[in-house]
Structures are given as C-alpha cells and as structure tokens.
Amino acid sequence: MSHLSINPASPLDSLPLDRILEGDCVEVLATLPDSSVDVVFADPPYNLQLGQGLTRPNQSVVDGVDADWDKFADFKAYDALTAAWLGQARRILKPNGSLWVIGSYHNIFRVGTVLQDLGYWILNDVIWLKTNPMPNFRGTRFTNAHETLIWAARSPEARPVFNYEAMKNLNDDKQMRSDWTLPLCTGAERLRGPDGTKVHPTQKPESLLYRVILASTRPGAVIVDPFFGTGTTGVVAKRLGRRFIGIERDPTYIREAERRLAGVEPCPTPSFALRVKREEPRIPFGTLVERGLVPPGTNLCDARKRFHAEVLADGTLRASGPSGEVIGSLHSVGAAVQGLPACNGWTFWCVEDKAGVLHPLDTFRRRAREDAARPSFARTTRKKGDKQENVLPLRAG
Ligand SMILES: C[S@@+](CC[C@H](N)C(=O)[O-])C[C@H]1O[C@@H](n2cnc3c(N)ncnc32)[C@H](O)[C@@H]1O
C-alpha cells in the first residue's frame, strides 16, 4: 500500500493523483485527507450469493461472478463493509462533492439504506438498462436487464456539480433522463486473457463512466474509485481530463488497469468547452425591464400567439388566465395561462419585432449577459448603425 505525505497548504499535492493504490479500500481511504476529492464512484462487490455454478440449457457453464471478493459470510458482514467504505468516502468528499454507487438488486437497497443513515442525500437513482443482458437461463424469473446507480450528495445542503447542458447536448438537446440504455462491456473493449477468458467478471462499459463523469465533474476534478478493478473509471477520467485515484486489492487487476491506462490519450482540450449554465451571471427578468431592454408595457406572446401578456413596471406580467386575470413572474404567469404546474417563461414568452419575427425573452437575457461580459469601452463606443456581432435584438419594441 502507498504511504502518503499530507500537505494541507496545497490540497492537490497531498493526493496520490492518477495512481492505483493497492490494498483494502477502507484502510487506504483512511489515509486520504478530509474534504479533498470531488467525486467518489464505486462499483463494490454485489454479494451475488450464487450457489452452485450456473449452466445454460445445453449444460455449458455460464461465465458468471464467482470470485472470492464477492463472497460474504452474511448480510451483516456485507453491511459492515458498506458502512466502513461509505463513511470514509463521505469524509474525503468536499462539501459539495457527490458519490455514485452502482449495484444490482442483490445489494443496492442495502447500500441505499446505509448511505442515507450516514447522512448522504440521494439526488437520483439511475437505471442502466442493458441492451444485451444475459438471459435468465432457467426461465424461472424475468431477465435481469438493468443495474441501478445511486447518485448522492455528501449532505442535503451540498450543491454538487451537475453539467445539465452537457447532458442535454449528449441527448440530442432533450433533458437527460434517469434511464440510460447502454450495452454491456463486450467486443474489443472487454479485456481478455490469452485463452480468451474475461480478465475481470464485472468490467464496466466505458460509456457508463463517460456519462457519470461528464455529468458530475468539471475538467481537473478528482475522482476516487475504491473498487477499481480493471480501471474503467481511471480510463474515462484520463480521457476526459479529470484526475483519478484508484484503490484495488487484487494485484492482477492492478496490472491490467495500469496496462490499460498507459494506452489512453486525453481528449483534446476543446472537447471540454462545456457551457455551464449555472455559472453564467444570473439576470433576473426585472433587470431587463429596468435597463429598458424589455420596457414596461411591452406585449408578449407565446410562439404560437395563443397567449398574451403585458410587462408591468416591476418586472411582473399581467395576463388573462382560464380563471381570470393573473399577475406574477414570467414563469408563474406562463404556467397559469396554460393551466400547467410549471413553465420556463424565458423560452415561453416572446417579443414580436416590427418585421413580425418573434424573439424569446431568453434572447434578451443573452444580450444582457453579453453586455455584462463586454469591456465597458465597447459599449460606449458602439455607434448607431454599427454592425452587430450576432443577431440578438438590442431591445424590445
Ligand atoms: C465490481 S468489481 C469493479 C470492477 C470495475 N468497475 C471495472 O470496471 O473493472 C469490484 C472490485 O473491487 C475489488 N475489491 C473487493 N473488495 C475490496 C476491498 N475491500 N478493497 C479494495 N478492493 C476490493 C475486487 O477485487 C474487484 O476488482
């Protein structure tokens, strides 16, 4: 096991970055400093409790998980390990850090209980739907076609990274859902020995880790995987320009992971140019009204001109709803006129220009953000008739 020197003055220097630490994960996690890492991704033993070997109808043996590392005396022993590593993981996470755990019906409910008892706050459970699951050979149950990932914050107060826009981009501009359809790790990606047998029985697909890491970390983030196996987390972290710390007990898997990692090239920097919406300056609608970008009295409508509203001096909207006049925020009035529980008023409400073209309010917000980011001289030297760098309207009306 590696021994670490702790230097509180430079948190990154105190971490064994981009290395695999050999040993029991509870002991190794205990050597890492408090509040020092961004994300923990864990693929712990599933405690499959398989009895006799599984065979297909033609009596060939199924290449399942019967490794010693997946065997526990009883649930109590499994829960004790779970509480120990989850406790250490929570200690080393930064206050806004988050944790991912993947498991199957054999263990994920137990893991979920323990992590809630320890103070974690569940953000999502994600279903990994396998496109090519192993059939239920005995025909006695449903095909077990999914695994579950729990995504949890360190505490209810934490504000973990969520790259909403990157996830939406990945999903053809639709909000990413919590059911992910991805294939098992097969083909060239699957590590095999000279005799063709799998190097590791539960090697995870890189596409799964790609989504996890892209969703919940920024470039340079530190990701710890306490059950590193053949290093899938490290491979994807390195490719995406993140840092990793792997922990694994089995030296054979460590060797394989090191070999695999040596062949990974980081993506070129531009592939990290994520638009992080949360970090853009917040522009309340009232600011646009105050600045005269959308002056009081402006008439708004939706893209199909079914609903209309008027902008009031304090940045509220007035409209006629199904049960009379409504006054409120652009969102609440947008929701009320449609009889819906919620509405994104920025994209729902539009301003019609003199040529009859509709511009969503979001366009004016972008203009305000650009103005805020532009050096002040550029704003003062722009003259009437100057060509605009883009097609955003300057102001409504
Ligand atoms: C489910 S596998 C992880 C597979 C990995 N995600 C991959 O893609 O290759 C769990 C791994 O944890 C390791 N392991 C089990 N108990 C451990 C412990 N207490 N400390 C460190 N490693 C452990 C096993 O050797 C095994 O490689």
Side-chain angles (χ1 to χ4, degrees):
M1 191 179 95
S2 299
H3 295 276
L4 312 173
S5 64
I6 311 274
N7 171 10
S10 70
L12 277 188
D13 291 349
S14 68
L15 293 171
L17 293 176
D18 307 325
R19 283 172 50 196
I20 310 173
L21 310 176
E22 184 179 334
D24 175 80
C25 66
V26 178
E27 288 171 23
V28 179
L29 285 169
T31 66
L32 301 179
D34 291 357
S35 309
S36 58
V37 309
D38 299 282
V39 161
V40 172
F41 175 87
D43 179 12
Y46 286 22
N47 190 20
L48 291 177
Q49 309 144 78
L50 296 177
Q52 75 274 44
L54 192 57
T55 52
R56 298 186 179 84
N58 67 4
Q59 296 310 305
S60 60
V61 176
V62 175
D63 191 6
V65 183
D66 64 353
D68 284 345
W69 55 258
D70 201 48
K71 297 197 170 84
F72 293 82
D74 47 29
F75 284 139
K76 203 165 158 226
Y78 186 80
D79 293 350
L81 171 69
T82 304
W85 76 258
L86 275 173
Q88 285 296 339
R90 188 161 183 273
R91 181 187 62 73
I92 65 167
L93 275 173
K94 292 178 184 169
N96 285 328
S98 69
L99 166 101
W100 292 85
V101 193
I102 184 166
S104 64
Y105 68 85
H106 307 87
N107 67 330
I108 200 70
F109 302 106
R110 308 192 78 80
V111 171
T113 302
V114 175
L115 69 81
Q116 283 184 320
D117 288 349
L118 287 172
Y120 286 96
W121 185 251
I122 296 184
L123 300 165
N124 275 115
D125 63 329
V126 171
I127 299 299
W128 166 31
L129 206 55
K130 299 173 182 176
T131 53
N132 46 354
M134 198 192 287
N136 180 263
F137 290 111
R138 294 199 184 114
T140 52
R141 300 189 197 177
F142 299 107
T143 304
N144 185 19
H146 74 274
E147 290 187 27
T148 302
L149 294 103
I150 295 177
W151 182 36
R154 192 182 181 283
S155 70
E157 297 75 37
R159 291 287 164 268
V161 168
F162 178 52
N163 295 317
Y164 174 81
E165 289 295 320
M167 287 296 99
K168 199 169 160 192
N169 294 342
L170 212 60
N171 194 33
D172 272 351
D173 223 20
K174 288 201 207 76
Q175 194 169 84
M176 183 66 84
R177 294 159 41 120
S178 61
D179 47 351
W180 301 355
T181 305
L182 300 166
L184 288 168
C185 179
T186 54
E189 193 186 320
R190 185 92 212 195
L191 302 175
R192 291 188 185 275
D195 59 354
T197 55
K198 294 172 189 168
V199 165
H200 197 292
T202 68
Q203 183 186 337
K204 292 295 171 297
E206 290 175 15
S207 57
L208 183 76
L209 269 300
Y210 191 97
R211 201 171 288 182
V212 163
I213 291 175
L214 198 69
S216 58
T217 67
R218 306 229 167 94
V222 177
I223 305 161
V224 172
D225 184 338
F227 303 95
F228 203 58
T230 52
T232 312
T233 305
V235 165
V236 181
K238 183 173 174 188
R239 193 169 291 140
L240 289 176
R242 276 67 167 171
R243 317 298 298 268
F244 70 88
I245 300 169
I247 306 171
E248 170 59 53
R249 224 166 36 180
D250 186 325
T252 314
Y253 295 153
I254 294 179
R255 270 198 305 279
E256 286 293 339
E258 278 170 346
R259 208 176 42 77
R260 197 175 164 200
L261 279 158
V264 173
E265 284 299 323
C267 291
T269 309
S271 44
F272 308 139
L274 304 176
R275 219 157 36 102
V276 182
K277 249 199 174 157
R278 269 201 190 169
E279 286 187 347
E280 289 175 335
R282 205 177 92 77
I283 308 274
F285 180 59
T287 304
L288 306 191
V289 178
E290 252 170 12
R291 291 192 195 163
L293 293 172
V294 185
T298 302
N299 289 312
L300 307 177
C301 62
D302 69 301
R304 285 163 56 194
K305 298 194 183 176
R306 293 163 306 164
F307 306 105
H308 299 269
E310 185 192 359
V311 177
L312 303 184
D314 61 355
T316 52
L317 304 189
R318 177 167 54 202
S320 310
S323 45
E325 184 181 80
V326 278
I327 294 180
S329 73
L330 66 163
H331 309 297
S332 63
V333 172
V337 294
Q338 299 177 85
L340 294 176
C343 162
N344 180 349
W346 288 109
T347 49
F348 178 72
W349 293 114
C350 305
V351 177
E352 188 171 5
D353 69 14
K354 291 195 178 85
V357 180
L358 294 177
H359 302 277
L361 287 180
D362 205 31
T363 317
F364 297 89
R365 180 167 62 161
R366 271 161 52 210
R367 163 62 64 202
R369 280 206 180 108
E370 284 187 5
D371 272 354
R374 192 176 288 126
S376 56
F377 71 86
R379 258 176 282 160
T380 52
T381 56
R382 192 198 298 136
K383 292 189 286 298
K384 206 175 172 210
D386 273 356
K387 213 165 162 267
Q388 293 300 312
E389 324 73 297
N390 60 36
V391 294
L392 299 183
L394 265 183
R395 57 189 62 242

